[in-house]
Amino acid sequence: MTGRKQAESQLRRNAFYDGLTGLANRALFMEHLKHALQQTKRQKDYLFAVLFLDLDRFKVINDSLGDSLGHLKGDQFLITIAHILEACIRSTDIAARLGGDEFAIQLEGIQDVSDAIKVAERIQQELRGCLKVDGQEVFTSASIGIALSSTIDYDQPEQLLRDADTAMYQAKALGKSRYALFNPDMYANALARLQLEADLRRAIERLEFQVYYQPIVSLTNGSILGFEALLRWQHPERGLLNPGDFIPLAEETGLIVEIGYWVLYEACRQMQAWQMSYPHHSLKKMSVNLSVKQFCQPNLIEQIRHILDSTGLDANSLALEITESVIVENGDEVTAILLQLRELGIEISIDDFGTGYSSLGRLYSFPISVLKIDRSFVNPMTADNRSLDIIDIIVALAHKLGMTVIAEGVETQEQVPILRNLHCESAQGYFFSSPLHSSEAVALIATNPEWRW
Ligand code: C2E
Ligand code: MG
Ligand code: MG
């Protein structure tokens, strides 16, 4: 080939192929979709499918593979994925990388939807095994959305890709490592999500968030040891929303970082004010939930220091609740961050303990002070001996590791003596009080209650 021919062919490659994986890029993929759509207009029974594939937890995987050479291993991982995809389709089908960890596949001339589902299942089957990247074992999975060319009367290739993307989101929302088939009802869901996201952004500006406070009570003397800060959203149309209604989306979109910062600030400010007003009461700790996303912020420690400085709250009066997934998914850096927090004097609790996948062997190597037993064990405690045994074991484990225990979700009086017998130090739940607006919480503090049982 002449130099010019070579240059031309190189330019063509750059324009239509993904530089990393060698798969088709978005432009070429859209070109193929366009042709396939045209064919459906000429040939009524011609059917094809678009699969939109997004790797679950890619960022975590990428970071855990990251080495001193940047993200080279992450790149290798993506190349491995590309090979797997190519191996799962026929030579007439097209696999493309749309960018990041997003891939798309066009399945040519299929018989019916089951053909597309088979391919999605095959891909997931292949990914579910353990992949080796440069000798390192990696576990991955993918969420896949499927759109069929016959579902609606498509005109533009972009519409098909968008619908496959919408279905992919649905698959992810249903718990990842799944596939979902697009249907027009999903428009409504997608719209509602967009609306909620827009509302959520505005909520920050419009100060629609509130922190509610639930007392944490000593099982030794029945006094209030502190509070857990729980976020509420005073939605202009939908009323008071619980975190379950919006935190998942806030986490997905990253908005949780800003919201979480606000909660932390507000809760610290409030605790400082209460401690000043009631210096002789037993108020020791404000517990604040920290999401995985917040935990991964590089300036987390700096921000917390700043909040403590500007609110005047003593670091010893702050506890941060993290879930087991923070520890499981983040490996070694987590220990470093937790140690820094501990050095500041902040207490770390594991929230919802028993529902995640803590490696018990590693638990002792983290500077954790408190295990909060998930309410799914506390709740059936009086009816079911097995939950009682589990609580017994968790308390024993915590004490062996030098930690204390908070029982979550205590709803009835009869649960209290049992928890005391199991040597559980403290508890929270509707039996003592539901989460309270700050004005109600301060009224409760003022009475300096001592629960008796
Ligand atoms: P969590 O941290 O485990 O909080 C305890 C949840 O249990 C709260 O739900 C609380 O209202 C509820 N609860 C308390 N006592 C009882 C009881 O006796 N029975 C029952 N059935 N439930 C009880 P809430 O306020 O809806 O919060 C749900 C979850 O949302 C929290 O679970 C926490 O993971 C998350 N969350 C809340 N606020 C924040 C926040 O500011 N930031 C982050 N990242 N997550 C938050
Ligand atoms: Mg919590
Ligand atoms: Mg909890």
Side-chain angles (χ1 to χ4, degrees), residues 62-136:
N62 201 22
D63 289 349
S64 72
L65 286 170
D67 49 22
S68 55
L69 301 171
H71 280 142
L72 275 188
K73 285 193 194 169
D75 286 354
Q76 270 185 38
F77 173 67
L78 289 172
I79 293 169
T80 307
I81 301 288
H83 288 320
I84 291 175
L85 295 186
E86 279 182 314
C88 289
I89 59 177
R90 298 166 305 179
S91 58
T92 45
D93 301 328
I94 305 281
R97 177 167 172 243
L98 303 177
D101 62 335
E102 287 181 348
F103 296 85
I105 289 171
Q106 180 188 329
L107 301 176
E108 280 288 338
I110 55 174
Q111 295 298 314
D112 56 43
V113 63
S114 68
D115 288 342
I117 288 175
K118 265 184 227 142
V119 175
E121 284 177 342
R122 196 181 312 144
I123 293 172
Q124 278 169 334
Q125 181 67 37
E126 290 297 316
L127 291 181
R128 212 162 283 142
C130 158
L131 308 183
K132 277 236 159 72
V133 177
D134 204 20
Q136 198 173 335

Side-chain angles (χ1 to χ4, degrees), residues 214 228-232 242-244 247 251 256 259-260 263-264 288-292 294 321 323 351-352 372 374-375 379 408-411 428-431 433-435:
Q214 185 176 40
E228 175 171 5
L230 294 161
L231 182 60
R232 297 289 180 269
N242 285 327
I247 290 237
E251 297 204 331
I256 190 67
I259 299 172
V263 173
L264 197 57
V288 183
N289 295 285
L290 211 60
S291 93
V292 182
Q294 279 175 282
E321 298 189 3
T323 54
D351 207 350
D352 309 336
K372 297 189 75 170
D374 190 67
R375 68 163 182 268
N379 201 279
E408 296 189 274
V410 175
E411 294 184 357
Q428 70 186 96
Y430 296 160
F431 168 64
S433 164
S434 52

Side-chain angles (χ1 to χ4, degrees), residues 90-299:
R90 298 166 305 179
S91 58
T92 45
D93 301 328
I94 305 281
R97 177 167 172 243
L98 303 177
D101 62 335
E102 287 181 348
F103 296 85
I105 289 171
Q106 180 188 329
L107 301 176
E108 280 288 338
I110 55 174
Q111 295 298 314
D112 56 43
V113 63
S114 68
D115 288 342
I117 288 175
K118 265 184 227 142
V119 175
E121 284 177 342
R122 196 181 312 144
I123 293 172
Q124 278 169 334
Q125 181 67 37
E126 290 297 316
L127 291 181
R128 212 162 283 142
C130 158
L131 308 183
K132 277 236 159 72
V133 177
D134 204 20
Q136 198 173 335
E137 292 183 341
V138 183
F139 292 90
T140 188
S141 63
S143 302
I144 302 178
I146 306 171
L148 283 186
S149 60
S150 59
T151 303
I152 57 174
D153 192 13
Y154 289 106
D155 282 323
Q156 304 294 329
E158 288 81 11
Q159 296 170 331
L160 254 165
L161 192 61
R162 180 202 57 202
D163 288 353
D165 187 12
T166 300
M168 185 280 290
Y169 256 106
Q170 186 83 0
K172 232 183 235 301
L174 289 173
K176 304 187 175 157
S177 189
R178 289 166 187 255
Y179 64 82
L181 189 64
F182 175 79
N183 70 54
D185 291 343
M186 286 181 186
Y187 278 132
N189 287 337
L191 272 183
R193 264 179 64 94
L194 280 176
Q195 183 63 47
L196 183 64
E197 191 183 335
D199 287 353
L200 206 49
R201 285 180 198 281
R202 268 198 302 270
I204 302 175
E205 295 156 22
R206 295 184 186 168
L207 309 173
E208 289 168 358
F209 291 118
Q210 282 170 2
V211 182
Y212 272 50
Y213 300 93
Q214 185 176 40
I216 296 175
V217 175
S218 159
L219 291 183
T220 322
N221 60 21
S223 66
I224 300 183
L225 293 174
F227 287 88
E228 175 171 5
L230 294 161
L231 182 60
R232 297 289 180 269
W233 179 10
Q234 189 64 55
H235 191 282
E237 285 118 40
R238 297 168 61 194
L240 196 65
L241 300 185
N242 285 327
D245 299 326
F246 59 91
I247 290 237
L249 186 63
E251 297 204 331
E252 230 173 82
T253 54
L255 284 166
I256 190 67
V257 172
E258 208 178 322
I259 299 172
Y261 181 86
W262 178 83
V263 173
L264 197 57
Y265 186 94
E266 183 55 24
C268 288
R269 187 197 63 71
Q270 185 63 85
M271 188 61 171
Q272 166 68 6
W274 285 340
Q275 284 184 338
M276 296 286 276
S277 312
Y278 299 94
H280 303 300
H281 290 205
S282 51
L283 288 182
K284 291 201 186 63
K285 299 263 186 224
M286 179 60 79
S287 273
V288 183
N289 295 285
L290 211 60
S291 93
V292 182
K293 277 259 167 71
Q294 279 175 282
F295 204 82
C296 301
Q297 291 295 302
N299 57 353

